[in-house]
RNA sequence: GUCCCGUUCGUCUAGUCAGGUCAGGACACCGGGUUUUCAUCCCGGCAACAGGGGUUCGAAUCCCCUACGGGACGCCA
């Protein structure tokens, strides 16, 4: 039997290093066993999935050199590789599950479900569907469906006993069925949820080994049950540890740059990033620390994974990147990388119009442009705060961070509108709002036009700079307190609308 | 709250499966050397088996309990 693994990113945001991490290990495993890795797009959430995100994820993984054998871009024997194009297959599976008594329609409204959940939490129970629609008669179901009532399909969970499965890394895992919710497998919009779609696809795409994040352990019983209901043999499961923030929580963009694009923009080279990810939770048998995917694959043994969640340490990544630049690459290669990165006519050409009026000699150019080439510019907290109140500055920075997350398009126009809006809502003049941002983004109170610069800087570096500024304020004791942050968040939601993550 | 998973230097980890070398390496940090500065490079140092109980001649390693950390509990994935 050919080993087949997969990565299944959801195209709902920036390409995440966690996706790259999973891709790397899936790939190493597949390569070791002369198998294939496929890439499948899990776009069953119609409201959040975007083509832009899908393209960004594919191109980031390619940049890293983590390539797949079958996928939406290159096709393959078991396509299509985009779940939104496989709806008929899921419909069929759901019908099969209903017929076999493993799934049932549910007509409960969101309001009722919220209420039930609220009560359960109050009573310190695990929130779980109460089985209300399980008791509907055939006639009732038919009547409701005929009347066009919206409904979902749920998975029927055994009432007693437990699900025991084998995790390749952890051994036997046992979870009581009483802990498992009657998972929705088809939503009101007719789309399947992740759980259903992924197991149907894994089966049809002949996936033999599901290697995924630890966050999925608790839903594995649902998946096993789905396999059973469909009469299919489940693949083997291996749950890898999750990458962590320095505070040990799951890696998140609030606390750490998580976008692969950030590392690209900040001047890391793909080989070093991949190598670094490979040493998170894993060591080669001979303990060498410089290695590429091929070397890793040769000796790869998933059993060597260590299970404690590794903290993503940018300092070590930088050291490793440095070693690549001076040991693995020739100077001419470094030069080529530099050119490909930002030292090219396209990029510099975009900066030039912004700097031109400020030039007396050519030598004035690079100092002005420097902050667009830097990872993080240098400045003091005093410079950042200027003549304003430190706390006000912190609030503005935080609001901008939240607002930037809502941006669909990263261009000058949207950025300009963003700051206009903040000025308006905060009842300030734009020139009162901007000084701190000049310093946070450029390291200087005098700089190139802000919005144009930000457009060139890109969302990932921009966000990191905001976070750095906020951290500087906190370190100086003049940042937002936990309480202050909560209050600000509340005010923000009133004045600017909901936040998105 | 309930359940699941985890726990070796500050961080990444080797050693655990087949109990028996001063618990090894790397990052960071500190000190020294090379270098006109800095960086690189070289040398040295600091620093860990979460706690308790068992099993054993012997436990980081096997078993149990506790603590701590993380994750899951969505018509998200």
């Amino acid at each position: 039997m050919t080993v087949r693994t997969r990565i299944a990113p959801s195209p709902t945001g920036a390409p995440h290093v966690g996706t790259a991490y999973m891709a790397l290990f899936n790939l190493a495993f597949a390569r070791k066993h002369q198998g294939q890795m496929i890439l499948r797009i899990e776009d069953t959430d119609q409201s959040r999935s975007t083509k832009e995100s899908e393209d960004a994820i594919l191109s980031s993984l390619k940049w890293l050199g983590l390539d797949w054998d079958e996928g939406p871009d290159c096709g393959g024997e078991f396509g299509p590789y985009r779940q939104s194009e496989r709806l008929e297959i899921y419909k069929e599976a759901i019908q099969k599950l209903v017929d076999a008594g493993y799934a049932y329609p549910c007509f409960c409204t969101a309001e009722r479900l919220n209420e039930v959940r609220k009560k359960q939490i109050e009573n310190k129970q695990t929130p779980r569907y109460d089985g209300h629609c399980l008791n509907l008669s055939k006639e009732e179901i038919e009547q409701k469906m005929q009347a066009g009532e919206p409904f979902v399909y749920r998975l029927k969970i055994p009432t007693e006993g437990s699900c025991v499965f084998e995790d390749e890394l952890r051994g036997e895992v046992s979870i009581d069925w009483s802990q498992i919710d009657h998972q929705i497998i088809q939503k009101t919009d007719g789309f399947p949820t992740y759980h259903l779609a992924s197991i149907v696809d894994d089966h049809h795409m002949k996936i033999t080994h599901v290697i995924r994040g630890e966050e999925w352990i608790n839903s594995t019983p649902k998946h096993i049950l789905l396999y059973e209901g469909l009469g299919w043999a489940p693949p083997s499961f291996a749950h890898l540890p999750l990458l962590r923030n320095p505070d040990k929580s799951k890696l998140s963009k609030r606390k750490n740059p998580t976008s692969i694009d950030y590392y690209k923009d900040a001047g890391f080279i793909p080989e070093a990033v991949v190598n670094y990810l490979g040493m998170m939770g894993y060591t080669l048998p001979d303990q060498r620390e410089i290695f590429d995917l091929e070397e890793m694959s040769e000796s790869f043994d998933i059993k060597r994974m260590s299970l404690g969640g590794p903290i993503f340490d940018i300092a070590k990544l930088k050291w490793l990147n440095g070693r690549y630049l001076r040991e693995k690459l020739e100077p001419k290669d470094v030069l080529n990388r530099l050119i490909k990165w930002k030292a090219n006519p396209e990029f510099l050409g975009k900066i030039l119009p912004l700097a031109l009026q400020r030039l007396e000699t050519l030598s004035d150019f690079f100092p002005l442009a420097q902050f667009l080439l830097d990872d993080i510019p240098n400045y003091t907290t005093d410079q950042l705060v200027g003549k304003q109140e430190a706390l006000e500055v912190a609030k503005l920075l935080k609001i901008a961070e939240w607002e930037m997350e809502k941006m669909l398009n990263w261009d000058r126009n949207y950025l300009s509108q963003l700051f206009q809006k903040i000025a308006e809502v905060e009842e300030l003049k734009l020139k009162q709002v901007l000084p701190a941002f000049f310093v946070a983004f450029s390291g200087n109170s005098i700089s190139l036009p802000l919005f144009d610069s930000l457009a060139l800087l890109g969302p990932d570096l921009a966000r990191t700079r905001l976070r750095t500024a906020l951290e500087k304020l906190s370190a100086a004791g003049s940042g937002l307190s936990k309480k202050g942050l909560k209050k600000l968040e509340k005010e923000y939601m009133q004045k600017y609308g909901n936040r998105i993550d």
Side-chain angles (χ1 to χ4, degrees):
Chain A
M1 183 172 59
T2 316
V3 165
R4 287 170 61 85
T5 63
R6 46 77 158 178
I7 46 165
S10 162
T12 53
H16 198 279
V17 287
T19 306
Y21 183 57
M22 289 307 151
L24 173 61
F25 284 92
N26 272 280
L27 205 45
F29 185 83
R31 289 273 172 85
K32 165 73 186 174
H33 300 280
Q34 287 88 45
Q36 297 103 35
M37 180 182 82
I38 71 157
L39 183 143
R40 181 173 71 226
I41 292 295
E42 310 244 324
D43 56 351
T44 53
D45 186 338
Q46 289 189 86
S47 62
R48 295 202 308 149
S49 299
T50 66
K51 181 74 171 110
E52 290 71 36
S53 171
E54 179 188 317
D55 292 344
I57 290 167
L58 265 56
S59 80
S60 291
L61 289 172
K62 281 194 175 143
W63 176 71
L64 287 171
L66 300 172
D67 227 335
W68 45 94
D69 299 292
E70 297 164 28
D73 57 328
C74 56
E77 204 184 325
F78 304 96
Y81 293 91
R82 211 174 270 120
Q83 293 187 325
S84 57
E85 295 166 13
R86 302 171 62 80
L87 297 179
E88 283 315 306
I89 302 170
Y90 308 129
K91 286 251 150 84
E92 201 178 301
I94 287 165
Q95 193 52 53
K96 211 169 149 186
L97 288 165
V98 172
D99 293 344
Y102 278 78
Y104 61 95
C106 167
F107 300 85
C108 291
T109 60
E111 292 77 52
R112 198 188 94 78
L113 294 173
N114 282 337
E115 227 158 87
V116 171
R117 191 170 299 137
K118 218 169 117 190
K119 264 188 203 154
Q120 285 169 329
I121 290 170
E122 269 169 30
N123 295 331
K124 309 200 166 179
Q125 291 168 307
T126 303
R128 189 169 184 264
Y129 182 62
D130 61 357
H132 182 77
C133 290
L134 209 46
N135 308 316
L136 258 32
S137 69
K138 246 190 182 144
E139 291 71 34
E140 283 172 301
I141 292 171
E142 201 136 304
Q143 187 206 332
K144 281 171 182 288
M145 282 192 179
Q146 218 111 75
E149 269 190 52
F151 68 97
V152 300
Y153 279 109
R154 285 180 184 273
L155 181 63
K156 185 173 162 189
I157 304 291
T159 47
E160 43 190 48
S162 58
C163 175
V164 180
F165 64 92
E166 188 74 15
D167 180 285
E168 293 295 315
L169 302 176
R170 297 154 209 268
E172 226 170 58
V173 176
S174 163
I175 298 173
D176 282 1
W177 286 119
S178 66
Q179 291 299 317
I180 315 280
D181 198 5
H182 285 213
Q183 184 65 48
I184 290 174
I185 55 174
Q186 179 181 302
K187 308 178 244 186
T188 329
D189 65 3
F191 271 55
T193 55
Y194 164 86
H195 302 280
L196 188 277
S198 84
I199 77 105
V200 169
D201 288 344
D202 285 344
H203 172 76
H204 289 307
M205 295 178 182
K206 300 202 182 319
I207 301 304
T208 56
H209 299 261
V210 170
I211 300 169
R212 55 170 22 162
E214 194 177 10
E215 53 196 332
W216 294 107
I217 291 180
N218 288 291
S219 12
T220 304
K222 294 169 191 171
H223 303 164
I224 303 233
L225 190 62
L226 284 166
Y227 279 106
E228 183 189 304
L230 291 162
W232 300 336
S236 71
F237 295 97
H239 292 97
L240 267 35
L242 261 21
L243 262 21
R244 312 275 188 99
N245 297 312
D247 69 359
K248 294 186 193 279
S249 57
K250 173 163 113 171
L251 194 69
S252 63
K253 68 179 174 193
R254 277 261 185 269
K255 298 174 181 169
N256 220 41
T258 57
S259 165
I260 298 168
D261 295 338
Y262 165 80
Y263 295 92
K264 186 179 180 185
D265 293 347
F268 290 88
I269 67 168
E271 295 95 318
V273 175
V274 168
N275 190 155
Y276 181 67
L277 289 175
M279 55 205 279
M280 302 266 79
Y282 190 73
T283 5
L284 299 227
D286 64 3
Q287 288 207 66
R288 86 187 89 156
E289 44 196 359
I290 304 279
F291 55 86
D292 60 20
L293 172 63
E294 199 183 333
E295 290 174 82
M296 185 177 168
S297 304
E298 273 169 28
S299 62
F300 188 69
D301 175 8
I302 200 168
K303 293 263 195 322
R304 288 184 63 80
M305 286 300 302
S306 56
L307 300 179
I311 290 168
F312 195 92
D313 179 13
I314 294 186
K316 190 155 186 178
L317 171 57
K318 279 191 177 169
W319 161 80
L320 194 62
N321 202 70
R323 285 195 63 177
Y324 269 82
L325 293 181
R326 55 184 181 267
E327 288 175 30
K328 298 288 281 186
L329 298 182
E330 294 297 319
K332 66 172 170 28
D333 299 324
V334 178
L335 182 61
N336 282 332
R337 301 297 180 107
L338 205 51
I339 290 168
K340 240 165 105 186
W341 179 61
K342 286 179 184 173
N344 57 62
E346 286 81 3
F347 190 71
L348 297 181
K350 285 181 189 164
I351 304 175
L352 186 64
L354 311 179
L356 204 49
Q357 295 89 326
R358 295 151 216 257
L359 297 187
E360 288 182 324
T361 63
L362 297 175
S363 63
D364 292 334
F365 176 76
F366 284 103
L368 281 167
Q370 189 188 359
F371 76 99
L372 292 168
L373 302 163
D374 269 344
D375 176 4
I376 293 170
N378 223 346
Y379 56 88
T380 64
T381 315
D382 285 344
Q383 283 175 279
L384 179 65
V385 173
K387 291 177 186 155
Q388 296 170 283
E389 289 290 318
L391 194 60
E392 289 309 308
V393 169
K395 282 185 180 176
L396 288 173
L397 292 169
K398 197 74 204 173
I399 290 170
E401 188 187 3
W402 286 331
E403 281 293 281
M404 278 185 183
E405 272 162 28
K406 291 182 184 169
M407 284 182 59
L408 298 173
N409 290 303
W410 189 264
D411 64 35
R412 192 202 178 279
N413 235 341
Y414 280 89
L415 287 158
S416 164
Q417 282 169 24
L418 185 150
F419 285 99
Q420 302 274 5
K421 181 178 171 190
I422 292 178
E424 220 169 275
V425 175
E426 299 304 316
E427 296 177 345
L428 292 166
K429 289 188 174 153
L430 199 55
K431 69 195 275 190
Q432 294 174 292
V433 172
L434 295 186
F437 289 98
F438 269 96
V439 177
F441 289 124
S442 76
N444 211 307
S445 50
I446 300 156
S447 185
L448 302 182
L450 190 67
F451 307 143
D452 297 281
S453 304
L454 272 179
L456 292 180
L457 199 56
D460 299 298
L461 287 177
R463 174 179 298 125
T464 307
R465 289 185 190 190
L466 279 180
R467 220 190 46 236
T468 306
L470 251 2
E471 278 165 8
K472 267 193 185 194
L473 287 173
S474 294
S478 40
L480 288 157
S481 63
K482 235 179 184 170
K483 236 183 187 171
L485 182 64
K486 254 202 168 139
K487 197 177 151 215
L488 181 66
E489 192 171 357
K490 216 171 167 183
E491 285 172 15
Y492 173 82
M493 305 246 257
Q494 278 169 3
K495 295 196 278 194
Y496 296 83
N498 277 337
R499 273 183 40 205
I500 53 163
D501 267 311

